[in-house]
Amino acid sequence: MPSITRIFNLNDSNWGRGGGGSGNEPPRRPPNEGRNNNNGGPPDLDELWRDFNRKLSGLFGRRPSGPPGGNDGRGRFSPSPRGTGVGLLVVVGIVVALWLASGFFIVQEGQVAVITQFGKYKETTRAGFQWRLPYPIQSHEIVNLSQLRTIEVGFRNTSRSKVLPEALMLTDDENIVDIQFVVQYRLKETGARDYLFNNREPDIAVKQAAETAMREIVGKKKMDFVLYEGRTQVASEVAALMQQIMDLYGTGVLISTVAIQNAQPPEQVQAAFDDAVKAGQDRERQINEGQAYANDVVPRAAGAASRLLQEAEGYRQRVIENAEGDAARFSQILAEYRKAPQVMRDRLYLETMQEIFANTTKVLVDTRSGNNLLYLPLDKLMQQVSQEAAAAARSAASTTGNSSSAPQPLTGGVLPDAGRDALRSRDRNAR
């Protein structure tokens, strides 16, 4: 190794020149021999080439022909043809090895390499350590499939940096809207070849397709639909139409999302549009209030009408059933009357009087004894006693605070003991 270092030590100032040295050093050119010495100036190219060949021959165990020092006795170097050929082969081998090694390359995860041979598509390689024929036979280009690419239409970076030629669009009702949206897309798994070769500038093609699709979809919609409730639908329709255009052009692009960042009228008519929006909101509010009032009144009116219909139906059924019952009862009475007319007349008289007296106020007058003593009606007396007992029970409950111990009001026409005693005494006096 030291010998090789000394042979190829080009930094040595005495390299290629004569001089003293150890026995292991290669022969040097005599200091005053050769042409173009120029009194110790730099050696010419011929001398350098001969020295290089001589050192290569010494490296492979060969000696230069001629006397020591590599001269033929006449002051000229006699190169060995075999040594020169071997040196050239070594150089050519190194160059070829380096040229072949230039074909190795690495493809990262999520990327593919498109290999071309003399400019024509050859194949697509996946991630990993790959090799191709070196340039200029084959070349490769790395394409990132996992990258999510984004384009902006109608603005740049922020919503304030508007691009009006891209943002202004005409709707179906002949109104102009200012729409700013973002398109995100990536490449298909097999779309690297189409992305590189089918279109010259595929990213610009995606942007133009996005603008075209948005104008077509917006041109079929009303202004209010685009600005308010229809943003999501418009975005989805634009994404679908863009994908159709990209597939038709064969770009290898897969549309991921279309997001509308801002949709509004042009700035020149923004104030008038706001007034129109407020008027529309007031109209909607009044409509909602009227609808709420109708929802409150109509069900109640429908309920009242239904109740009246049900009451009328119930009355009709009751009258019919009562008439049918009276007719049936009259038929039964008629049959009994034909059997015993006198008994039936007396019975009908008594039942009629019982029904009449049950619903009238009764006053007892003692006419046999000749006095004008009147007795209170029994029903009124019983009602009065019941009211007095109920009042007493309420007062007792309020004073004691115990409602369970308070006396209960009279029901069913039952008189207390004091009332019964008073009635008995009056009955005895009447007799």
Side-chain angles (χ1 to χ4, degrees), residues 235-424:
S236 61
E237 292 181 2
V238 169
L241 184 57
M242 283 187 62
Q243 189 61 58
Q244 295 178 5
I245 297 174
M246 293 293 99
D247 295 340
L248 181 63
Y249 289 167
T251 58
V253 172
L254 179 63
I255 304 299
S256 297
T257 57
V258 175
I260 298 178
Q261 302 292 329
N262 189 18
Q264 62 182 13
E267 296 181 356
Q268 294 80 356
V269 296
Q270 185 67 41
F273 184 81
D274 292 339
D275 294 338
V277 170
K278 292 179 181 179
Q281 292 176 352
D282 293 339
R283 178 175 61 85
E284 292 295 332
R285 179 178 55 81
Q286 294 178 358
I287 291 175
N288 293 334
E289 291 178 355
Q291 187 65 34
Y293 177 75
N295 294 335
D296 180 39
V297 173
V298 172
R300 288 193 297 175
S306 178
R307 180 175 55 82
L308 292 175
L309 290 175
Q310 293 177 359
E311 290 179 355
E313 183 65 23
Y315 175 76
R316 184 178 70 85
Q317 294 292 337
R318 180 172 59 83
V319 170
I320 292 174
E321 291 176 358
N322 289 336
E324 291 177 352
D326 293 340
R329 185 170 57 85
F330 180 78
S331 299
Q332 295 175 359
I333 293 174
L334 180 60
E336 297 297 330
Y337 179 80
R338 289 175 179 175
K339 295 178 182 179
Q342 185 60 37
V343 175
M344 186 57 61
R345 281 197 296 268
D346 295 340
R347 181 181 175 181
L348 290 176
Y349 174 78
L350 294 175
E351 290 178 354
T352 303
M353 297 304 295
Q354 182 180 1
E355 184 179 356
I356 293 173
F357 285 127
N359 297 323
T360 58
T361 302
K362 294 173 285 296
V363 179
L364 300 180
V365 180
D366 188 6
T367 56
R368 295 181 181 178
S369 58
N371 55 10
N372 295 327
L373 181 62
L374 300 178
Y375 297 94
L376 291 175
L378 296 178
D379 54 349
K380 296 295 183 181
L381 182 60
M382 293 172 63
Q383 183 179 2
Q384 181 180 0
V385 173
S386 298
Q387 293 177 354
E388 292 177 355
R394 285 196 297 269
S395 61
S398 62
T399 55
T400 58
N402 186 3
S403 61
S404 61
S405 62
Q408 299 298 326
L410 296 176
T411 59
V414 180
L415 293 175
D417 295 339
R420 286 196 293 268
D421 294 340
L423 291 176
R424 292 194 188 99

Side-chain angles (χ1 to χ4, degrees), residues 6 65 87 98 100 103 246 267 299 358 401 426:
R6 287 193 297 270
S65 62
L98 293 177
L100 293 176
M246 293 293 99
E267 296 181 356
R426 290 180 179 178

Side-chain angles (χ1 to χ4, degrees), residues 171-173 175 177 179 217-238 260 263-264 273:
T171 61
D172 183 54
D173 51 359
N175 289 316
V177 293
I179 298 181
I217 298 301
V218 171
K220 298 178 181 179
K221 308 295 182 182
K222 300 294 183 181
M223 181 178 184
D224 293 339
F225 182 81
V226 174
L227 295 181
Y228 301 111
E229 69 271 12
R231 287 193 179 187
T232 304
Q233 180 178 349
V234 170
S236 61
E237 292 181 2
V238 169
I260 298 178
Q264 62 182 13
F273 184 81

